[in-house]
Amino acid sequence: HVQLVESGGGSVETGGSLRLSCVGSGFTYGGICMGWFRQAAGKEREWVSTITADGIGKYTDSVQGRFTISQDKEKNTLYLQMNSLKPDDTAMYYCAARYAQCFGHVSTSEDYYTYWGQWTQVTVS
């Protein structure tokens, strides 16, 4: 039974930083593609970032240069370091995963991902 548990959200002022974590459990074999999505109030959920199997971060344009995705495979933990936060970054942030090897061009569709965490709230004022 796969579980993803996010943490690290909170309230910060514009320009501040947060680091989100997502601990995965229950994976029965390797080759997991993981990423982050977010959903602001009244808007659809949108893709934020995915990390490829060779450790390369892919980002939506609005967070490029400010957010960094990383992964500790020994701890089964995915991270999202968010710097220079803006009010537009306010949203519920979700961790997502799929049994797949992500390389190169990654899917930005939420339909691609099989497993989802419960979300963690990020508020920037």
Side-chain angles (χ1 to χ4, degrees), residues 35-111:
W36 292 96
F37 283 73
R38 67 185 180 185
Q39 186 170 20
K43 295 185 177 180
E44 295 184 351
R45 189 156 54 185
E46 65 171 352
W47 174 75
V48 175
S49 179
T50 295
I51 189 164
T52 67
D54 46 3
I56 297 173
K58 303 290 186 178
Y59 306 94
T60 190
D61 288 346
S62 62
V63 308
Q64 182 75 46
R66 301 187 297 121
F67 290 11
T68 303
I69 192 171
S70 61
Q71 189 174 37
D72 185 333
K73 292 184 179 180
E74 289 189 0
K75 295 182 180 179
N76 289 326
T77 302
L78 182 72
Y79 301 100
L80 186 67
Q81 177 66 44
M82 306 186 296
N83 298 329
S84 302
L85 283 162
K86 305 175 181 180
D88 284 350
D89 296 316
T90 295
M92 298 182 294
Y93 281 72
Y94 296 82
C95 173
R98 173 192 172 107
Y99 279 112
Q101 294 272 18
C102 293
F103 288 103
H105 180 72
V106 298
S107 175
T108 62
S109 170
E110 61 181 297
D111 293 336

